[in-house]
Amino acid sequence: MTPEPGSPPPVAETRRRFLTKTAVAAALLAGARGPLSAAESTAAADGPWFRRVRRWGQTNITEADPPRYDLAWWREHWKRTQVQGVIINAGGIVAYYPSAIPLHHRAQFLGDRDLFGDLCRAAHDDGLAVFARMDSNSAHEDFFQAHPGWFARDASGRPYRNRDLYVTCVNSAYYDEHLPAVLREIATRYRPEGFTDNSWSGLGRGSICHCDNCQKKFRAAAGRELPRGRDWNDAAYRAWIEWSYARRLEIWDTNNRITRAAGGPHCLWVGMNGGSVSGQAAQFRDCKEIFARAEILMLDDQRRQNESGFQRNGEVGKLVHGVLGWDKIAPESMALYQTTSPTYRLSAKPAPEARLWMLAGFAGGIAPWWHHVGAWQEDRRQFATAEPVMRWHAANEQYLFNRTPVATVGLVWSQRNTDFFGRDDADLLVDSPARGWTNALVRARIPYLSVHIDHVARDAAQFRVLILPNLAAMTEAQAASLRRFVENGGALIATGQSSLCDQWGDARTDFALADLFGAHLPDKHGWRDESVRRRWASESAHSYLRLTPSLAAHNAGPRAPAEKPATGARHEVLRGFDETDILGFGSTLEPLRLDTTAQVIATFVPSFPAFPPETSWMRTPLTDIPALALNEKPGAGRVAFLPADLDRRYARENLPDHGDLLANLVRWAARDEIPLRIEGPGFIDCHLYRQPGRVILHLVNLTSAGTWRAPVDELIPVGPLQVRVELPADVRGRTLQLRVSGANAPLVADGGWHRFTIPSVLDHELAVIE
């Protein structure tokens, strides 16, 4: 069939152009660094699109955009920013094409235009992959009136609302019939490479749907009625949590079957996911199961938070790839509009803020995806930010993908711990301790990786140390895998109530890992009470830790005689604290029963008044309540148990003493087997990788006046940095490239290590040794 003059080319033709051009584009982009290797040429020509498309762009279309969308301008912007794929609004709440499906609401100003079709054809003509973007958990009034049984309802039967929209139920025909029809229509008519869906998982954990569909299906699955409200100790509520997770996985699998059947075997449905485990938990998105299923993982994680900093984006990359695999691509939506609170969708984010978030993601294995809201902008500054970063990424992508991280320290996580131990206080009980460790490791320039607790046995060989940041809820099998890790020589650091609870978050009579800790709960201990555990985690007290042995006299009271200084050297974990016998703590502790093998090197000093200053003296300067105990047994790895929650305290208060002590624990536990050492000024996030015959070090300079308060509006260079790195046997260390500054730096062999100096780092530096 011959198209009419001036009509768009057939969809199949534009998609063929895409498939041809992406292979060619891969070769062209590599031109700056020389010819492709045989392996790279094969991957470029034959690999599926989701293994090749590494840079993305998105203009999140508003309903006002169809008449004013300047397609020619945006096509030039795609070229300037060297994107290989675009995310284009298609359907769901709003359709940007002439849908034939009843009640599929067309954009207010769409008129007769097929905006999605125009953009999809243009992208394919330009050799770009296309994700059709859906946003499908809500619908308009007319849809609700036509199908009232397809919508979520509270216990009183009232529909849940999303502003002017009605929230759909994931267990209704909306998900089983209407959305599949939309997916088939778009896949067959336009042939996009895949689909994203911004709100695919429906109603979150904070609300229970009591519609007829949910009542019937839950009763059939669980043999009981839906819970009336939140009660983590109620068997029905626990069953509802697990049932809700299972339904989201069913949606994931079903939608992928639909899109592949309609659009071809590589037409993927990838939903949308976040980088926060607690955020995923709140939406019933199982990170471990979803990440393992995904061929490409699209992340809606657009900005940094003050409390977690830019380093969180590197952490997200490590957590995601730890399950997804390092051979797969994980693009992340990187907002170029102002994302402070409140958000300003149409104002440009300061370029240094946006740039650092992007670069921190690159260092952790995240792929770039610029994001604007609206196709027409009055604040045009936002268009200048992405181009230089995306061009650098294109020129250096051979060093940013298909690489293996190098780290001997693993930070263990579990979404079940977030759900059933964290419950309604996950940030306090789970996220804050993990964030404290992340910040301490970054500050100490110790490379680390995130490890799911179910992957401990699988990944054990690469780690010298595993860290449990208040990881309380675990099964007996998970505890056994940690025990085997220590028995085989691995070291373990555990904080707070780690291993205290079973898989439901219910307290055991003792720690599951008590034999490793050398510490046990006595018969009466407050931590067995859930309310006490939460109060303990949230409190702030004027309390201290006493380092043992004390190296100077202290007063036991206003008139008590001074105690004689203790003799003997302190443990190496306390290195750097020679001029103090105490550290600020801020919480409370209760006694524990210790094994004879446990060595206590810090004890608890109870709270006393801070104000007025005349009353600020220790009422009980000495106790035998352990705050930090070390346990070493012949033939096994070192174990450190820190009942004092210094990880959470460090996340909250940012006291250098807490960060230093946490870093000391890691170095001791690892027996200093850490493959990287960097000396010099600044707050630097360090990521170490290897490729065959090559070691890659990516440094991100997080030093700025806005490090802990967004946005950053000025980059502050640091340096020089003295780097020492341990090279694997297949890397001889003959050449060094600094891929950002281009500076010359001699590489000097030093035993089994190599050392070099980086003169200065403005925002990041990529050092390649080969």
Side-chain angles (χ1 to χ4, degrees), residues 31 85 196 235 242 286 338 353 384 386 388 446 451 503 520 566 602 698 715 751 763 765 768:
T196 67
E242 295 198 314
D286 187 326
Q338 186 55 264
E353 175 78 17
I446 296 175
V451 187
Q503 65 266 37
H520 307 263
H698 205 160
L715 300 174
D763 48 11
E765 184 59 87
V768 180

Side-chain angles (χ1 to χ4, degrees), residues 673-713:
E673 292 183 21
I674 297 169
L676 178 70
R677 298 173 189 173
I678 300 179
E679 296 180 359
F683 185 37
I684 311 291
D685 195 6
C686 308
H687 300 257
L688 193 62
Y689 298 93
R690 62 178 298 180
Q691 292 174 334
R694 177 186 293 158
V695 165
I696 300 162
L697 174 62
H698 205 160
L699 306 180
V700 183
N701 177 16
L702 305 180
T703 311
S704 77
T707 295
W708 301 112
R709 185 181 180 186
V712 168
D713 64 354

Side-chain angles (χ1 to χ4, degrees), residues 116-165:
F116 175 75
D118 292 345
L119 288 165
C120 189
R121 279 186 290 270
H124 281 164
D125 281 347
D126 290 348
L128 306 182
V130 173
F131 265 129
R133 180 190 183 272
M134 305 279 288
D135 198 336
S136 55
N137 79 327
S138 301
H140 292 80
E141 172 84 22
D142 58 343
F143 205 135
F144 173 74
Q145 294 298 337
H147 298 285
W150 292 9
F151 291 81
R153 296 179 182 271
D154 65 18
S156 300
R158 293 185 298 267
Y160 284 104
R161 301 292 296 270
N162 176 13
R163 299 178 179 86
D164 295 333
L165 303 174

Side-chain angles (χ1 to χ4, degrees), residues 175-192:
Y175 276 76
D176 293 335
E177 298 175 15
H178 175 74
L179 289 181
V182 174
L183 294 174
R184 292 187 185 100
E185 180 179 64
I186 295 171
T188 56
R189 188 184 297 183
Y190 300 104
R191 296 303 223 185

Side-chain angles (χ1 to χ4, degrees), residues 488-634:
N488 291 330
L492 187 70
I493 302 172
T495 67
Q497 294 140 4
S498 291
S499 82
L500 177 61
C501 300
D502 64 17
Q503 65 266 37
W504 299 106
D506 296 330
R508 295 179 164 99
T509 57
D510 199 359
F511 302 107
L513 300 175
D515 57 323
L516 299 184
F517 299 165
H520 307 263
L521 283 186
D523 293 337
K524 294 183 179 180
H525 197 287
W527 281 359
R528 290 198 179 90
D529 186 314
E530 179 186 350
S531 63
V532 172
R533 294 198 298 270
R534 276 155 175 72
R535 186 170 65 248
W536 168 77
S538 62
E539 68 187 352
S540 291
H542 186 225
S543 62
Y544 290 79
L545 303 183
R546 180 166 298 285
L547 309 182
T548 60
S550 293
L551 300 182
H554 65 271
N555 290 326
R559 294 186 175 86
E563 181 187 27
K564 293 182 179 180
T567 58
R570 278 183 174 164
H571 196 280
E572 63 184 282
V573 166
L574 302 180
R575 183 180 300 140
F577 297 112
D578 295 346
E579 295 302 315
T580 182
D581 292 339
I582 58 172
L583 299 179
F585 175 34
S587 190
T588 59
L589 290 173
E590 296 184 40
L592 297 173
R593 180 168 52 83
L594 298 179
D595 293 339
T596 56
T597 55
Q599 178 186 3
V600 176
I601 63 171
T603 56
F604 171 62
V605 177
S607 180
F608 54 94
F611 298 98
E614 291 82 358
T615 68
S616 192
W617 48 272
M618 293 180 181
R619 305 317 196 256
T620 310
L622 295 174
T623 74
D624 60 0
I625 299 174
L628 171 58
L630 310 179
N631 198 25
E632 294 188 72
K633 296 180 180 179

